[in-house]
């Protein structure tokens, strides 16, 4: 059982290792441990979470693979700066959505502006019959969902459209990118579609993309894709579901911890306590 302030571990994962990695990852993204901070010593952390040392080690390994932690023999396990994280990892995207949804929305919008217009241009130049059919199928699903009273499935159909657009140009890296950022796209669409009238207003732009791809008009396809993105940014700005920017005091996205302002309590511990192996020292 979790203790010492740890939340009950989420059980919606197939293994305990994944559950523990999720809990630690969320805390890192939320700023409970800052870059350069050591994790508590293994025995202490395993006891706090309520799991075995073996499970904890496997969870740490998975976070090392995501670029969030570094393990060294003498310095222990320390948090790496966000620049090292794999921000296309689905788990990291989920944790960012929970920890700083406003920043994830901003990053997603900027990425889309850079990528999607040129992806639409490629699609107009290269798309074959199957790719065009996938775009039309996704558009039809969007239209059907928009016409239904509950509009169920609209966001899923919208995601399918944009993934089909990234696939249509035949560039496999773009296709993989679309699959990698699906969580970020869903988060963006969930927010933008809460704006009154946004669903209906988005359909003409998507139709324009399909028509331009079918007509092999690369410039028109790029312009239509950019128009969708700009409209979505305006809808997000007006959406009742728009997340608030992280507040202050402290740095954006950094929760205040007990003890020294803006820092985990462990930072205020004297060196002698760290040498005794109390949480925060994490000697090898």
């Amino acid at each position: 059982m979790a203790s010492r302030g740890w939340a009950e571990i989420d059980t919606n994962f197939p293994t305990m290792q994944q559950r523990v990695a999720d809990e630690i990852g969320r805390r890192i993204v939320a700023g409970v441990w800052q870059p350069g901070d050591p994790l508590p010593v293994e025995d202490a952390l395993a006891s706090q979470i309520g799991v075995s040392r073996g499970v904890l080690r496997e969870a740490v390994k998975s976070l090392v693979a995501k670029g969030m932690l570094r393990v060294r023999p003498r310095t222990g396990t320390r948090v790496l700066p966000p620049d090292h994280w794999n921000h296309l990892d689905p788990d990291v995207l989920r944790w960012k959505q929970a920890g700083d949804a406003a920043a994830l929305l901003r990053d997603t919008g900027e990425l889309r502006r850079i990528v999607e217009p040129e992806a639409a241009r490629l699609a107009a130049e290269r798309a074959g019959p199957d790719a065009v059919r996938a775009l039309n199928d996704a558009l039809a699903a969007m239209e059907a969902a928009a016409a239904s009273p509950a509009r169920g499935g609209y966001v899923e159909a919208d995601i399918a459209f944009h993934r089909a657009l990234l696939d249509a140009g035949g560039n496999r890296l773009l296709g993989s990118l679309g699959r990698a950022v699906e969580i970020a796209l869903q988060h963006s669409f969930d927010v933008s579609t809460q704006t009154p009238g946004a669903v209906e207003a988005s359909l003409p732009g998507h139709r324009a993309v399909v028509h331009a791809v079918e007509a092999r008009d690369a410039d028109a396809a790029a312009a239509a894709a950019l128009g969708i993105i700009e409209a979505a940014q305006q809808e997000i700005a007006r959406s009742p579901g728009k997340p608030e920017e992280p507040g202050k005091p402290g740095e954006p996205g950094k929760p205040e911890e007990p003890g020294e302002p803006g820092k985990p309590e462990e930072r205020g511990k004297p060196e002698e306590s760290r040498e005794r192996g109390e949480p925060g020292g994490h000697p090898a």
Side-chain angles (χ1 to χ4, degrees):
M1 180 177 289
S3 61
R4 297 193 188 181
W6 285 77
E8 199 68 36
I9 294 178
D10 192 336
T11 59
N12 295 320
F13 295 93
T15 68
M16 181 61 76
Q17 173 257 310
Q18 289 173 302
R19 299 173 198 172
V20 174
D22 183 77
E23 178 63 27
I24 295 174
R26 284 179 184 274
R27 286 189 162 227
I28 291 172
V29 172
V32 173
W33 294 302
Q34 293 295 303
D37 282 348
L39 293 193
V41 291
E42 188 176 82
D43 286 344
L45 186 55
S47 176
Q48 289 172 21
I49 304 175
V51 296
S52 70
R53 292 170 60 185
V55 167
L56 177 59
R57 286 172 187 165
E58 291 303 310
V60 166
K61 285 180 183 178
S62 71
L63 294 170
V64 169
K66 298 177 192 297
M68 302 180 78
L69 294 175
R70 174 177 290 159
V71 180
R72 291 288 184 267
R74 292 187 176 276
T75 59
T77 302
R78 292 183 180 269
V79 177
L80 289 174
D83 288 351
H84 290 257
W85 304 354
N86 178 6
H87 291 276
L88 295 181
D89 182 274
D91 289 330
V92 177
L93 286 170
R94 281 194 303 103
W95 299 331
K96 288 177 67 178
Q97 179 180 345
D100 193 351
L104 180 58
L105 279 174
R106 182 195 64 237
D107 291 348
T108 303
E110 291 171 354
L111 179 66
R112 293 184 66 197
R113 287 181 69 93
I114 293 167
V115 171
E116 286 194 33
E118 292 308 309
R121 185 183 299 279
L122 276 181
E125 294 170 351
R126 301 179 180 175
D130 290 343
V132 173
R133 187 178 306 112
L135 283 170
N136 274 301
D137 288 347
L139 176 60
M142 290 175 66
E143 292 172 333
S148 67
R151 293 174 178 163
Y154 183 85
V155 169
E156 291 78 6
D158 201 357
I159 291 171
F161 181 94
H162 290 274
R163 282 188 51 179
L165 182 62
L166 293 178
D167 284 334
N171 185 304
R172 292 178 180 176
L173 292 179
L174 281 176
S176 295
L177 178 64
R179 287 179 283 280
V181 301
E182 186 170 322
I183 290 172
L185 285 178
Q186 178 163 354
H187 175 52
S188 177
F189 296 166
D190 282 340
V191 174
S192 65
T193 55
Q194 292 182 46
T195 302
V199 169
E200 295 83 358
S202 74
L203 292 174
H206 289 78
R207 294 188 191 108
V209 169
V210 175
H211 294 159
V213 170
E214 291 175 328
R216 300 294 186 190
D217 189 335
D219 289 341
L226 180 59
I228 291 173
I229 297 162
E230 291 177 339
Q233 292 301 104
Q234 294 173 8
E235 290 155 1
I236 287 171
R238 295 184 288 112
S239 173
K242 179 185 176 183
E244 293 183 3
E245 296 285 345
K248 295 184 178 183
E251 296 176 11
K254 183 190 293 185
E256 294 294 334
E257 289 291 306
E260 188 175 348
K263 297 182 180 180
E265 191 171 6
E266 287 85 345
R267 285 189 173 188
K269 292 205 172 192
E271 285 299 319
E272 57 266 27
S273 69
R274 297 186 183 187
E275 291 172 2
R276 288 198 301 270
E278 291 183 18
H282 207 294

